Amino acid sequence: MELSPHLTQLFINNTYVDCLNSHKISVYNPATGDLVSDQIPVAGPDDVDQAVQAANIAFSLGSEWRQMSNVERGRILLRFADLLEANQDRLAHLTRLTLGAPYHPFGKSEIETAIGCFRYYAGWVDKFPGQSFPADDGFYKIVRNEPLGVVAGIIPWNGPLASVGLKAAPALAAGNVFILKPSEKTPLMAAELGKLVLEAGFPAGVFQVVTGDGSTGALLASHMKVAKVSFTGSIPTGKTVQILAAKSNLKRCTLELGGKSPAAVFDDADLDNAVHWCVNGLTTNSGQICFASTRVYVQEGIYDRFLTAYQAAFKAKRSVMGHPEAEGAELGPVVDKAQYERILEIIKRAESEEQGTLLIGGRPISTKGYYIEPAIFTDTKPDASIYKEEIFGPVVVVNKFKTEDEVLQRANDSRYGLMSGVFTESLNRALRISSAFDSGVVGINCISTINFSCPFGGTKESGLGRELGVNALLAYTEPKTVLINMNYKGSSQ
């Protein structure tokens, strides 16, 4: 298909420019397998240097961005949010072309997340306080939160616009300048953002977009004039980003690296509510979300009833699977052929090795496009790969438990710690388990959701640092201590 020229360019210093690096990559429509474009630029060293240089100039003392009042910076963020909202159909279409997620419910939700983030952080711009301490020791003490400078956001393919909100909004609100590097699988929406950056009134070099693959991300992570990188993706790549950051200029890192989120459903849980959250938390975006509820533990007294209702809900989801542009479609394909083949191979291996019992699903749906029927495995072995490792697809394991201690031990026995959920009518139990879960976020009678005002991130190998809330602002700033000697008797001039 023919794309607008700017969608195959880089956005550097408020200008769409051709990539200096000649290497191109291809993107495909996962709903059909058809080629969308073979002209997606891969920003190389010279391209990244140009963007970083422009960003450093934009952040330099005396620049328009540094001298801008908090009120005006907040207005620009609000204008950008309004532009996201006004252009949401176009942005959703560009994302859907190579991601395959239908607009309802996921596409709409991720756009609303981006819009909400920019509005939320626009409100913080003139309300982000420092600290002061009394001069009882002769020194009046001030702590200011100052921007880091040039920061890079390396975002994933599974929720690209939401990720822009989570990373760019707090970075810009704190006074930094931002370079966005989208996934090579979903680059088109990011390229379109340059037009909105111009219309919103960002000064040149403040918000830039460089497309590319892992090599482009590595250039940003290792660049000596980038002060921070915020990465969302796999554990192995996140570890590489941290190594590159440490080996270069010891730049700050925020790493959100996925999960294998457990949901514990107790005998006294509201069955319909538990089924609703656990099903949606697995099937949204075809299971391609970091906090998908992929491990479900059900207490033995409710296990049979839950499994019957859960299976029926999965079958209902099958009826709304279809082309992401089709009316009523809620469940689309997985992102590309590589992901499709990988997930099917995991399911096939799990069956052949008898890692658990395949209750339903796990089969290709169409001869065209990358559709996989959501799969439920039961009675999985504790060391099974489908039980232990993140699949990032529509595959869930459901297991029975007896006691609270048992489910906590099994839920926490994981290298991941992003999110967990507990379903119960007992407030005491809910609060007790929320404390005992080893995860960065816990849902009580819900799972697989976030909130703008609260920190989001994980423990263990699910990552470092937090996004959202005031925690994100702190992650994009450095505290500076100013000591004023109150005993100084020098000139008062």
Side-chain angles (χ1 to χ4, degrees), residues 41-363:
V42 177
D46 293 338
D47 302 293
V48 170
D49 282 344
Q50 279 193 0
V52 173
Q53 182 181 12
N56 274 286
I57 292 171
F59 188 73
S60 62
L61 291 174
S63 69
E64 182 182 357
W65 185 245
R66 292 292 294 274
Q67 291 184 318
M68 186 178 290
S69 69
N70 286 330
V71 171
E72 180 55 27
R73 191 186 311 137
R75 285 173 180 162
I76 290 177
L77 293 179
L78 287 173
R79 283 199 293 269
F80 190 74
D82 290 344
L83 290 165
L84 290 177
E85 187 170 43
N87 291 274
Q88 60 182 294
D89 289 344
R90 166 75 172 164
L91 296 171
H93 170 71
L94 291 173
T95 297
R96 209 161 47 240
L97 271 177
T98 61
L99 174 60
Y103 184 69
H104 293 286
F106 182 75
K108 183 174 186 292
S109 173
E110 78 134 355
I111 288 174
E112 290 174 345
T113 297
I115 297 167
C117 278
F118 276 95
R119 287 179 177 155
Y120 174 82
Y121 285 107
W124 265 107
V125 169
D126 60 352
K127 304 176 188 68
F128 183 36
Q131 294 174 296
S132 64
F133 300 90
D136 55 321
D137 58 354
F139 291 87
Y140 186 68
K141 299 162 283 288
I142 299 172
V143 181
R144 297 198 296 250
N145 297 308
E146 300 196 342
L148 297 169
V150 180
V151 300
I154 302 175
I155 64 172
W157 49 262
N158 63 315
L161 192 50
S163 296
V164 172
L166 266 65
K167 298 182 189 300
L172 295 166
N176 298 282
V177 294
F178 188 80
I179 300 174
L180 173 66
K181 190 282 185 188
S183 167
E184 61 271 30
K185 296 185 180 184
T186 51
L188 302 180
M189 174 280 302
E192 182 78 1
L193 290 181
K195 295 169 66 176
L196 309 189
V197 168
L198 290 170
E199 193 172 348
F202 285 100
V206 171
F207 192 162
Q208 304 177 93
V209 181
V210 292
T211 58
D213 55 16
S215 65
T216 308
L219 289 169
L220 289 165
S222 60
H223 204 287
M224 294 298 291
K225 293 187 178 181
V226 172
K228 174 188 169 73
V229 60
S230 179
F231 169 81
T232 298
S234 70
I235 289 176
T237 305
K239 290 180 177 180
T240 299
V241 166
Q242 189 174 26
I243 290 169
L244 292 172
K247 285 184 174 181
S248 53
N249 58 347
L250 207 63
K251 61 176 59 65
R252 306 298 183 259
C253 286
T254 296
L255 304 174
E256 198 275 277
L257 307 180
K260 190 77 172 176
S261 299
V265 183
F266 283 85
D267 284 344
D268 66 342
D270 181 310
L271 180 64
D272 291 340
N273 181 67
V275 169
H276 168 80
W277 280 97
C278 290
V279 169
N280 287 343
L282 186 279
T283 58
T284 297
N285 199 18
S286 298
Q288 300 169 125
I289 55 173
C290 54
F291 49 39
S293 49
T294 51
R295 288 186 293 153
V296 178
Y297 302 94
V298 186
Q299 200 165 21
E300 56 186 4
I302 200 176
Y303 180 82
D304 290 338
R305 287 196 295 131
F306 177 91
L307 199 58
T308 298
Y310 193 64
Q311 185 173 345
F314 264 61
K315 290 180 179 178
K317 286 292 182 182
R318 170 67 178 84
S319 68
V320 293
M321 175 180 277
H323 194 289
E325 302 288 354
E327 185 72 24
E330 296 181 13
L331 192 59
V334 297
V335 69
D336 61 12
K337 184 178 181 181
Q339 180 79 342
Y340 174 78
E341 292 178 344
R342 174 183 162 274
I343 294 169
L344 290 177
E345 178 58 32
I346 289 171
I347 294 170
K348 180 180 178 182
R349 186 171 67 250
E351 286 188 278
S352 66
E353 294 176 358
E354 298 182 340
Q355 296 181 16
T357 301
L358 179 60
L359 184 65
I360 185 176
R363 301 291 182 250

Side-chain angles (χ1 to χ4, degrees), residues 380-448:
T380 50
K381 298 176 181 177
D383 59 346
S385 60
I386 56 168
Y387 177 77
K388 302 290 285 186
E389 298 302 324
E390 184 178 41
I391 297 172
F392 221 64
V395 182
V396 63
V397 297
V398 181
N399 290 286
K400 187 186 302 183
F401 74 91
K402 291 184 178 181
T403 67
E404 187 176 309
D405 287 343
E406 176 193 356
V407 74
L408 283 171
Q409 188 279 323
R410 294 171 70 180
N412 288 337
D413 183 21
S414 171
R415 63 173 175 155
Y416 302 98
L418 185 58
M419 189 167 197
S420 51
V422 53
F423 294 85
T424 177
E425 293 294 287
S426 168
L427 179 60
N428 286 342
R429 173 188 287 138
L431 293 176
R432 186 168 60 245
I433 289 180
S434 71
S435 296
F437 270 140
D438 189 356
S439 62
V441 185
V442 179
I444 294 177
N445 293 320
C446 62
I447 194 170
S448 306

